[in-house]
Amino acid sequence: MRTFRNRTTVLAAATTAALALTLTACGDNGTGTRSEGSAASDSATVAATSPKAADETAETGTTGSTGSGTGTGTAQAAGATKSTGGSGDSGGTSAKAAAPLCTAKGLQITAERQDGPPYTHLTLSAKNTSGAGCEMKEYPHIHFLDNARGIVPPVAKSKPQTPVILEPGQSAYVAVRMSEGGRKESTETVKEFTVTLKANGGGMAVVKSPAPEGLSVNPQKWATGYWTTELRNGADDF
């Protein structure tokens, strides 16, 4: 009977100790805050900080060690590149220097009749013999007769859209209408005429008639095109 009572006493003591530990864990821990409440608070803190961390990741574009290569860092790099490009726009090394203007001294200007009788048109050719590239401006100032008759007027539709640059040995061309070829048309004969590069300030050339008998010109009908690197259908049809 003594042994049974001793075991009962030991078991009761162990049960009491376990109950005391349980009550201690569920108690205030001497701070007025229950342990369960502290654990719940910690869980709430984790839950609250996780969305914030996610938001920060979304705003900065960084994810771990690999995200630093993108996001705001990349945007700044792109901005720096754009700024560098802006300085290039102000005249960087890629800009090409403008070609000098062609002069009569550096050109060989000749004339050739375009069509058959009654030979109403001719073609002026200006070959670059200067040994360097140059630009042909506007149209030739042609005097078929005396200066009082004025220059041959230009036809606006033949004006090219881009600058006419002649490399060494390359030629520019102009279509010129001398008359309409009518039998009753009043014409005058010229055996030579002048071509001035007035827009270039490049001097004057004297051009011989391509026909021994001379050219028949009518001051009421003549017209000239602009310098081009080739004669174009339509724009030079006048």
Side-chain angles (χ1 to χ4, degrees):
M1 291 297 290
R2 182 176 298 177
T3 301
F4 177 76
R5 288 179 179 176
N6 289 339
R7 291 179 179 177
T8 302
T9 303
V10 172
L11 180 60
T15 302
T16 301
L19 181 60
L21 290 175
T22 301
L23 292 176
T24 301
C26 296
D28 295 337
N29 287 331
T31 61
T33 304
R34 295 178 61 187
S35 297
E36 291 179 353
S38 176
S41 176
D42 292 341
S43 299
T45 302
V46 173
T49 56
S50 295
K52 181 179 180 181
D55 291 341
E56 291 176 352
T57 300
E59 291 174 357
T60 60
T62 58
T63 304
S65 61
T66 60
S68 60
T70 59
T72 57
T74 303
Q76 290 178 352
T81 302
K82 183 176 181 181
S83 175
T84 303
S87 62
D89 293 340
S90 61
T93 57
S94 61
K96 294 183 178 180
L101 299 179
C102 299
T103 64
K105 184 178 180 179
L107 298 170
Q108 181 183 2
I109 301 178
T110 57
E112 180 180 357
R113 290 190 291 189
Q114 280 190 1
D115 43 26
Y119 298 108
T120 59
H121 290 71
L122 62 81
T123 298
L124 285 183
S125 300
K127 184 177 181 180
N128 182 4
T129 59
S130 67
C134 62
E135 181 181 356
M136 293 291 285
K137 284 279 192 179
E138 297 188 4
Y139 55 91
H141 288 233
I142 302 171
H143 281 101
F144 277 128
L145 302 171
D146 57 89
N147 291 343
R149 306 289 187 95
I151 64 171
V152 177
V155 176
K157 68 178 181 180
S158 68
K159 185 176 183 179
Q161 299 299 315
T162 58
V164 178
I165 307 297
L166 298 183
E167 298 300 331
Q170 189 177 8
S171 296
Y173 305 95
V174 163
V176 180
R177 184 178 68 201
M178 300 178 293
S179 65
E180 288 190 337
R183 290 185 179 181
K184 296 182 179 180
E185 187 176 7
S186 179
T187 62
E188 299 182 52
T189 301
V190 296
K191 291 192 175 183
E192 66 179 23
F193 56 95
T194 62
V195 174
T196 304
L197 304 180
K198 192 176 182 71
N200 293 15
M204 181 184 70
V206 177
V207 182
K208 298 290 185 179
S209 167
E213 70 275 17
L215 302 172
S216 297
V217 299
N218 180 354
Q220 303 301 318
K221 302 297 181 182
W222 60 29
T224 181
Y226 282 70
W227 293 111
T228 60
T229 53
E230 61 181 4
L231 294 178
R232 300 155 297 157
N233 292 332
D236 296 313
D237 184 15
F238 55 85

